[in-house]
Amino acid sequence: MYNPTVARLTYRALLGRRRALILFALPALLLVIAAAVRAFNGADDQVAADVLGGFALATMVPLIGVIAGTGAIGPEIDDGSIVYLLSKPVKRPSIIFTKLIVAIAVTMVFSAVPTFIAGMILNGNGQQVAVAYTVAALVASIAYSALFLLLGTVSRHAVVIGLVYALVWEALFGSLISGAKTLSVQQWALAVAQKVSGEGLVTSDVSLTTAVVLLIGVTVLATWYAGQKLRTLKLAGEE
Protein backbone atom coordinates (compact mmCIF):
# COMPACT_ATOMS: atom_id res chain seq x y z
CA MET A 1 0.00 0.00 0.00
CA TYR A 2 2.91 2.37 0.63
CA ASN A 3 4.57 3.67 -2.54
CA PRO A 4 8.06 5.18 -2.00
CA THR A 5 7.95 7.20 -5.23
CA VAL A 6 4.63 8.81 -4.38
CA ALA A 7 5.92 9.47 -0.86
CA ARG A 8 9.07 11.16 -2.14
CA LEU A 9 7.10 13.43 -4.47
CA THR A 10 4.66 14.29 -1.69
CA TYR A 11 7.41 15.12 0.80
CA ARG A 12 9.04 17.34 -1.81
CA ALA A 13 5.77 19.19 -2.40
CA LEU A 14 5.00 19.63 1.30
CA LEU A 15 8.47 20.73 2.31
CA GLY A 16 8.90 23.23 -0.49
CA ARG A 17 10.09 26.70 0.41
CA ARG A 18 6.72 28.41 0.89
CA ARG A 19 5.01 25.69 2.93
CA ALA A 20 8.15 24.98 4.94
CA LEU A 21 8.23 28.60 6.13
CA ILE A 22 4.68 28.28 7.49
CA LEU A 23 5.36 24.86 8.97
CA PHE A 24 8.38 26.16 10.86
CA ALA A 25 6.76 29.46 11.86
CA LEU A 26 3.97 27.99 13.98
CA PRO A 27 6.20 25.74 16.16
CA ALA A 28 8.70 28.59 16.50
CA LEU A 29 5.92 30.86 17.75
CA LEU A 30 4.86 28.24 20.29
CA LEU A 31 8.40 27.94 21.62
CA VAL A 32 8.74 31.71 21.89
CA ILE A 33 5.45 31.90 23.80
CA ALA A 34 6.53 29.04 26.09
CA ALA A 35 9.87 30.69 26.84
CA ALA A 36 8.21 34.06 27.55
CA VAL A 37 5.58 32.51 29.83
CA ARG A 38 8.21 30.55 31.75
CA ALA A 39 10.35 33.67 32.14
CA PHE A 40 7.51 35.76 33.54
CA ASN A 41 5.55 33.14 35.52
CA GLY A 42 8.04 30.43 36.38
CA ALA A 43 7.11 26.75 36.31
CA ASP A 44 3.36 26.34 36.80
CA ASP A 45 1.50 23.16 35.86
CA GLN A 46 -1.84 24.85 35.21
CA VAL A 47 -0.30 27.62 33.12
CA ALA A 48 1.58 25.01 31.10
CA ALA A 49 -1.66 23.11 30.47
CA ASP A 50 -3.43 26.33 29.45
CA VAL A 51 -0.73 27.31 26.96
CA LEU A 52 -0.42 23.85 25.41
CA GLY A 53 -4.19 23.37 25.28
CA GLY A 54 -5.06 26.90 24.18
CA PHE A 55 -2.44 27.40 21.49
CA ALA A 56 -0.64 24.15 20.65
CA LEU A 57 -3.60 21.76 20.48
CA ALA A 58 -6.45 24.16 19.67
CA THR A 59 -4.65 26.25 17.04
CA MET A 60 -1.23 25.00 15.95
CA VAL A 61 -2.02 21.32 15.40
CA PRO A 62 -5.14 21.83 13.23
CA LEU A 63 -3.41 24.56 11.19
CA ILE A 64 -0.44 22.32 10.49
CA GLY A 65 -2.92 19.56 9.67
CA VAL A 66 -4.53 21.85 7.11
CA ILE A 67 -1.18 22.64 5.48
CA ALA A 68 -0.01 19.01 5.40
CA GLY A 69 -3.34 17.33 4.63
CA THR A 70 -4.52 19.58 1.84
CA GLY A 71 -0.99 20.15 0.54
CA ALA A 72 -0.42 16.42 0.10
CA ILE A 73 -2.82 16.25 -2.85
CA GLY A 74 -4.67 19.53 -3.41
CA PRO A 75 -2.01 21.33 -5.50
CA GLU A 76 -1.65 18.31 -7.79
CA ILE A 77 -5.38 18.34 -8.48
CA ASP A 78 -5.41 22.11 -8.99
CA ASP A 79 -2.58 22.19 -11.53
CA GLY A 80 -3.61 18.94 -13.25
CA SER A 81 -0.39 17.06 -12.48
CA ILE A 82 -2.43 14.40 -10.68
CA VAL A 83 -3.39 13.07 -14.11
CA TYR A 84 0.24 12.07 -14.69
CA LEU A 85 0.28 10.15 -11.41
CA LEU A 86 -3.04 8.48 -12.16
CA SER A 87 -1.72 7.32 -15.54
CA LYS A 88 0.91 5.21 -13.80
CA PRO A 89 0.25 1.60 -12.73
CA VAL A 90 -0.28 2.59 -9.10
CA LYS A 91 -3.46 1.63 -7.30
CA ARG A 92 -5.61 4.58 -6.23
CA PRO A 93 -5.89 3.40 -2.59
CA SER A 94 -2.10 3.14 -2.53
CA ILE A 95 -1.79 6.78 -3.63
CA ILE A 96 -4.18 7.98 -0.92
CA PHE A 97 -2.64 5.77 1.77
CA THR A 98 0.89 6.90 0.93
CA LYS A 99 -0.10 10.57 0.92
CA LEU A 100 -1.90 10.07 4.24
CA ILE A 101 1.21 8.55 5.82
CA VAL A 102 3.30 11.47 4.59
CA ALA A 103 0.75 14.03 5.84
CA ILE A 104 0.59 12.32 9.24
CA ALA A 105 4.38 12.20 9.53
CA VAL A 106 4.77 15.89 8.65
CA THR A 107 1.95 16.93 10.98
CA MET A 108 3.37 14.90 13.85
CA VAL A 109 6.91 16.24 13.44
CA PHE A 110 5.82 19.87 13.22
CA SER A 111 3.21 19.68 15.99
CA ALA A 112 3.95 16.90 18.50
CA VAL A 113 7.70 17.53 18.76
CA PRO A 114 7.43 21.28 19.45
CA THR A 115 4.53 20.62 21.82
CA PHE A 116 6.74 18.34 23.90
CA ILE A 117 9.63 20.82 23.85
CA ALA A 118 7.29 23.67 24.83
CA GLY A 119 5.92 21.57 27.69
CA MET A 120 9.41 20.90 28.97
CA ILE A 121 10.20 24.60 28.81
CA LEU A 122 6.99 25.56 30.62
CA ASN A 123 7.15 23.19 33.59
CA GLY A 124 9.64 20.41 32.93
CA ASN A 125 6.83 17.89 32.30
CA GLY A 126 5.41 18.36 35.79
CA GLN A 127 2.22 16.30 36.26
CA GLN A 128 3.00 14.73 32.84
CA VAL A 129 1.60 17.81 31.11
CA ALA A 130 4.16 17.83 28.29
CA VAL A 131 3.71 14.11 27.59
CA ALA A 132 -0.09 14.33 27.79
CA TYR A 133 -0.35 17.12 25.22
CA THR A 134 2.27 15.45 23.04
CA VAL A 135 0.09 12.33 22.97
CA ALA A 136 -2.93 14.51 22.18
CA ALA A 137 -1.03 16.15 19.31
CA LEU A 138 -0.01 12.74 17.96
CA VAL A 139 -3.50 11.27 17.86
CA ALA A 140 -5.01 14.53 16.58
CA SER A 141 -2.43 14.59 13.77
CA ILE A 142 -3.78 11.31 12.42
CA ALA A 143 -7.41 12.41 12.32
CA TYR A 144 -6.66 15.91 11.00
CA SER A 145 -4.44 14.53 8.24
CA ALA A 146 -7.16 12.15 7.07
CA LEU A 147 -9.87 14.83 7.20
CA PHE A 148 -7.87 17.47 5.36
CA LEU A 149 -6.52 14.99 2.81
CA LEU A 150 -10.14 14.14 2.00
CA LEU A 151 -10.95 17.84 1.81
CA GLY A 152 -8.07 18.38 -0.60
CA THR A 153 -9.44 15.57 -2.75
CA VAL A 154 -13.03 16.79 -2.97
CA SER A 155 -12.67 20.59 -3.08
CA ARG A 156 -10.54 23.15 -4.88
CA HIS A 157 -11.09 25.48 -1.91
CA ALA A 158 -9.74 22.98 0.61
CA VAL A 159 -7.30 25.38 2.27
CA VAL A 160 -9.96 28.04 2.88
CA ILE A 161 -12.47 25.50 4.18
CA GLY A 162 -9.78 23.88 6.30
CA LEU A 163 -8.75 27.20 7.83
CA VAL A 164 -12.36 28.02 8.66
CA TYR A 165 -12.75 24.61 10.29
CA ALA A 166 -9.48 24.89 12.23
CA LEU A 167 -9.94 28.47 13.42
CA VAL A 168 -13.70 28.68 13.85
CA TRP A 169 -14.90 25.18 14.67
CA GLU A 170 -11.96 23.71 16.56
CA ALA A 171 -10.52 26.83 18.20
CA LEU A 172 -13.86 28.51 18.96
CA PHE A 173 -16.97 26.32 18.84
CA GLY A 174 -15.13 23.11 19.75
CA SER A 175 -13.79 24.78 22.88
CA LEU A 176 -16.82 26.77 24.02
CA ILE A 177 -20.08 25.22 22.82
CA SER A 178 -20.96 21.98 24.58
CA GLY A 179 -22.88 20.40 21.70
CA ALA A 180 -20.03 20.99 19.27
CA LYS A 181 -17.43 19.48 21.57
CA THR A 182 -18.57 15.94 20.83
CA LEU A 183 -17.70 16.49 17.15
CA SER A 184 -14.32 18.08 17.82
CA VAL A 185 -11.06 16.29 17.06
CA GLN A 186 -9.50 18.47 19.74
CA GLN A 187 -11.83 17.05 22.39
CA TRP A 188 -11.19 13.49 21.23
CA ALA A 189 -7.45 14.06 21.57
CA LEU A 190 -7.92 15.62 25.00
CA ALA A 191 -9.81 12.53 26.15
CA VAL A 192 -6.73 10.45 25.37
CA ALA A 193 -4.41 12.98 27.01
CA GLN A 194 -6.57 13.06 30.12
CA LYS A 195 -5.50 9.51 30.94
CA VAL A 196 -1.85 10.54 30.87
CA SER A 197 -1.80 13.84 32.76
CA GLY A 198 -2.10 14.71 36.42
CA GLU A 199 -5.56 14.91 37.98
CA GLY A 200 -7.66 17.82 36.68
CA LEU A 201 -5.04 19.42 34.43
CA VAL A 202 -6.38 18.02 31.15
CA THR A 203 -10.11 17.54 30.75
CA SER A 204 -12.43 16.55 27.93
CA ASP A 205 -16.19 16.48 27.51
CA VAL A 206 -15.90 13.23 25.55
CA SER A 207 -15.34 9.83 27.17
CA LEU A 208 -12.19 7.92 26.27
CA THR A 209 -14.12 5.09 24.60
CA THR A 210 -16.15 7.48 22.47
CA ALA A 211 -13.04 9.45 21.57
CA VAL A 212 -11.09 6.38 20.43
CA VAL A 213 -14.02 5.07 18.37
CA LEU A 214 -14.52 8.45 16.70
CA LEU A 215 -10.81 8.97 16.03
CA ILE A 216 -10.52 5.58 14.35
CA GLY A 217 -13.86 5.86 12.56
CA VAL A 218 -13.22 9.32 11.12
CA THR A 219 -9.70 8.40 10.01
CA VAL A 220 -10.80 5.19 8.27
CA LEU A 221 -13.90 6.67 6.64
CA ALA A 222 -12.12 9.81 5.45
CA THR A 223 -9.28 7.75 3.95
CA TRP A 224 -11.68 5.35 2.25
CA TYR A 225 -13.83 8.11 0.80
CA ALA A 226 -10.78 10.00 -0.45
CA GLY A 227 -9.79 6.85 -2.33
CA GLN A 228 -13.26 6.63 -3.86
CA LYS A 229 -13.15 10.26 -4.98
CA LEU A 230 -9.72 9.78 -6.51
CA ARG A 231 -11.04 6.81 -8.47
CA THR A 232 -13.92 8.95 -9.72
CA LEU A 233 -11.47 11.69 -10.68
CA LYS A 234 -9.55 9.22 -12.81
CA LEU A 235 -12.68 8.14 -14.65
CA ALA A 236 -13.64 11.74 -15.31
CA GLY A 237 -10.19 12.40 -16.77
CA GLU A 238 -10.42 9.38 -19.07
CA GLU A 239 -13.75 10.54 -20.39
Side-chain angles (χ1 to χ4, degrees), residues 166-204:
L167 296 176
V168 177
W169 183 266
E170 288 286 13
L172 184 60
F173 293 150
S175 299
L176 301 176
I177 301 176
S178 58
K181 292 181 179 180
T182 306
L183 301 177
S184 168
V185 175
Q186 177 189 345
Q187 292 296 320
W188 305 343
L190 285 173
V192 178
Q194 188 175 1
K195 291 295 181 180
V196 180
S197 69
E199 187 68 27
L201 288 174
V202 182
T203 60
S204 173

Side-chain angles (χ1 to χ4, degrees), residues 10 13-14 19 66-76 99-100 102-103 149:
T10 306
L14 283 179
R19 285 193 179 84
V66 170
I67 298 168
T70 61
I73 196 169
E76 292 177 286
K99 288 182 174 294
L100 175 63
V102 172
L149 178 65

